[in-house]
Amino acid sequence: MVIFCDFDLIVPTKRKDVLTQIGQFVYTQLSAGGTYTNGPTVNFGTVPNALSIAALAKGQSPALAVAEGQSVAIYTNNGSGTFTYQPPLAETVITNGTAITAVALGDMTGDGKADLIFTGNPYLQSGVWSFDLDRYDGNGDGTFGGGDFVAIPLTNTTFSIAGLQIVDITGSGKGRALIAYTDLDYIHLKVCHLNPGNGASILCDDYTAPSVGGAQATAMTVADVNNDGILDVVITASHDTGTNNTFYVFVGLP
């Protein structure tokens, strides 16, 4: 995994530094305006299930959220590209006890503080396969308060997460959780937001496209593809043979 962002904020140059995850290590390279110098290395101890990077509050240096089995640990940024480990908190454990598959930081409430979301592996309950999306309110300091989760039903266990992000796709200041995944013969995009009448509950809309030739979703990105001023979602998918890769574009509507 490679991430570009300005995580060295001692000098607010707004230059894009590089963070690269290889196994249990994250290597940082600090931008000097067209060239890069090697920065600190973070050793997670074990290979993480997933990670995300975002500022915990406005004006702060981006922090790391790292999925460790069934829980999430936060690595707060010291402002120089070095990070301080904070052990997983009780409230960041996946609700139904399965391993965490994806994690993301972002502001879903509009309070300027990054909230935490993550998804888990499928589980069987009352004869229905599902996976959970968990959400917790950010306090802006690497700790999290109350939240909620929603169980997302599946057709069966032929399932894989391709991407999880929090993006303000409406321009309201409140991000929405975007989940890209494959469920049997369909590529899914779930767009989840907080219920306006009950900020703790989560509502999700489902958008699907038939999986061409059994392709599995592999990655997701967000951009204004058709230049209409509205964000669209692009999901890539690949076949078992590694050839004939497919792009699925979910076009944003006013």
Side-chain angles (χ1 to χ4, degrees):
M1 173 183 288
V2 178
I3 299 173
F4 293 87
C5 72
D6 184 9
F7 54 83
D8 172 15
L9 295 183
I10 287 182
V11 180
T13 59
K14 297 185 179 179
R15 295 169 179 163
K16 297 299 184 183
D17 306 310
V18 183
L19 183 149
T20 306
Q21 179 207 342
I22 302 176
Q24 70 186 57
F25 296 98
V26 161
Y27 302 93
T28 61
Q29 292 177 298
L30 307 181
S31 174
T35 61
Y36 291 87
T37 59
N38 291 332
T41 299
V42 183
N43 185 350
F44 296 133
T46 59
V47 178
N49 301 27
L51 63 84
S52 179
I53 185 167
L56 297 173
K58 289 182 179 179
Q60 290 188 7
S61 302
L64 288 170
V66 181
E68 301 178 340
Q70 296 180 346
S71 60
V72 176
I74 300 296
Y75 289 73
T76 54
N77 194 325
N78 299 319
S80 60
T82 61
F83 297 86
T84 298
Y85 172 74
Q86 294 192 18
L89 303 174
E91 61 265 27
T92 64
V93 176
I94 190 73
T95 301
N96 281 291
T98 61
I100 293 173
T101 54
V103 61
L105 290 167
D107 185 5
M108 293 186 69
T109 60
D111 64 355
K113 301 173 183 177
D115 307 308
L116 175 69
I117 61 172
F118 46 85
T119 57
N121 279 331
Y123 61 92
L124 183 64
Q125 190 171 60
S126 301
V128 177
W129 285 99
S130 305
F131 73 96
D132 285 350
L133 170 68
D134 285 61
R135 184 198 66 85
Y136 294 93
D137 293 323
N139 297 321
D141 59 358
T143 63
F144 299 87
D148 199 1
F149 78 97
V150 59
I152 298 175
L154 296 168
T155 303
N156 65 12
T157 56
T158 306
F159 159 82
S160 62
I161 286 280
L164 177 66
Q165 297 183 40
I166 297 177
V167 181
D168 181 9
I169 58 175
T170 64
S172 66
K174 297 181 179 180
R176 301 197 176 199
L178 308 180
I179 315 171
Y181 63 96
T182 307
D183 180 15
L184 196 58
D185 295 326
Y186 284 86
I187 304 296
H188 288 255
L189 170 65
K190 274 284 193 301
V191 180
C192 303
H193 64 280
L194 301 183
N195 185 347
N198 178 2
S201 63
I202 304 170
L203 302 176
C204 295
D205 297 315
D206 189 32
Y207 303 91
T208 63
S211 174
V212 178
Q216 300 288 302
T218 54
M220 173 180 68
T221 191
V222 180
D224 182 6
V225 175
N226 56 1
N227 200 32
D228 64 353
I230 301 172
L231 290 175
D232 312 302
V233 179
V234 180
I235 299 174
T236 61
S238 64
H239 301 260
D240 291 339
T241 59
T243 60
N244 299 320
N245 292 338
T246 308
F247 291 87
Y248 297 84
V249 180
F250 294 84
V251 178
L253 300 176

